[in-house]
Amino acid sequence: MKQTIGKTVLCSALMSVSFTSAVFLSNIVSVVNSIFAIVYLIIVAAFYAGMLISETGKIIFVKWMLSLPISFVCFQYFWKTHYSIRAVNWMLPDYGNQSAGGDFAGSVMLIIQLVLCLFAVFVAVSVKPWDYRKFEKIQLVSGIVFGIVNVITVVILEMQFPSYQTIMQYINS
C-alpha cells in the first residue's frame, strides 16, 4: 500500500521538528554533559531514520525534500525567539552574548547531527520492514508522540528562559 500524501507530509514535519529542536536542545544538554548530548543526537537520528523508512526510495526522497522547507520554518521560530542566547543565559545567569567558543561548540554539534542524519538516510534506504502496514502504524504513532514531546520540551524550557530584553539590558549596562 502506497503511503498517502498526508502521511508523507506528517512524517516530514515530524522529522523537521525533531531535527531543528535537536540543534538547540543538544546545546543545552552539552553544557551538562557532551556525551549525553551526542547520545541525544543519536536518538534523534534513529528517529529521523524511522520516519524516513518508506516503501520506495522515491517516497524517502520526497519526505526528505519536504522536510527542508519545514525545517526552515522551524528554524525561524528558534531564531525569532532568540532561543540560543536565552537558553545560555538561563543555564549560566548573566552570561551575556554567546561566545565564539559557544558558537563553535554548537557548530560541532550541528555537524555531528548532520552526519548522523545523513547516515539515517542510508539506513532508511536499506531497511525494508516485513509488514509495512504494521510498521507504518508504529511509525506514525511513535512519530507523533516523539514530536509532541519535542514541542512540549521546547516550550516548557522557553517559558523558563529569561527574556531577550533582560539579557540585552544586562549586556548594554
Side-chain angles (χ1 to χ4, degrees):
M1 180 170 118
K2 294 282 184 201
Q3 195 166 34
T4 66
I5 293 172
K7 290 176 185 174
T8 301
V9 171
L10 179 60
C11 285
S12 298
L14 292 167
M15 288 165 39
S16 298
V17 166
S18 68
F19 178 86
T20 308
S21 62
V23 170
F24 296 91
L25 294 177
S26 67
N27 285 334
I28 294 171
V29 174
S30 69
V31 170
V32 176
N33 187 311
S34 295
I35 300 298
F36 288 156
I38 292 171
V39 169
Y40 171 65
L41 292 178
I42 290 169
I43 292 168
V44 169
F47 170 78
Y48 195 87
M51 289 291 98
L52 270 176
I53 294 172
S54 301
E55 286 183 293
T56 67
K58 179 181 172 185
I59 296 172
I60 291 172
F61 180 73
V62 168
K63 282 181 181 179
W64 181 75
M65 287 300 291
L66 284 173
S67 75
L68 297 178
I70 298 170
S71 290
F72 178 76
V73 171
C74 291
F75 270 112
Q76 289 300 311
Y77 164 78
F78 286 98
W79 289 325
K80 298 288 183 195
T81 62
H82 305 281
Y83 203 89
S84 288
I85 192 168
R86 291 175 61 218
V88 75
N89 280 275
W90 172 68
M91 294 177 296
L92 307 167
D94 300 327
Y95 185 82
N97 276 322
Q98 194 163 9
S99 67
D103 284 342
F104 178 76
S107 299
V108 169
M109 295 303 280
L110 177 60
I111 290 168
I112 291 169
Q113 184 181 8
L114 289 171
V115 169
L116 289 169
C117 287
L118 180 61
F119 181 71
V121 172
F122 292 115
V123 169
V125 169
S126 62
V127 170
K128 300 295 178 214
W130 288 95
D131 183 354
Y132 188 74
R133 287 184 186 180
K134 186 182 285 186
F135 176 80
E136 185 178 52
K137 289 176 186 173
I138 293 169
Q139 180 186 49
L140 291 174
V141 170
S142 62
I144 290 169
V145 169
F146 195 78
I148 289 171
V149 168
N150 264 315
V151 170
I152 289 172
T153 302
V154 166
V155 170
I156 287 174
L157 283 172
E158 184 176 6
M159 290 172 23
Q160 296 178 33
F161 294 165
S163 73
Y164 183 67
Q165 292 78 15
T166 303
I167 296 166
M168 294 316 295
Q169 286 175 350
Y170 172 76
I171 292 171
N172 295 323
S173 63

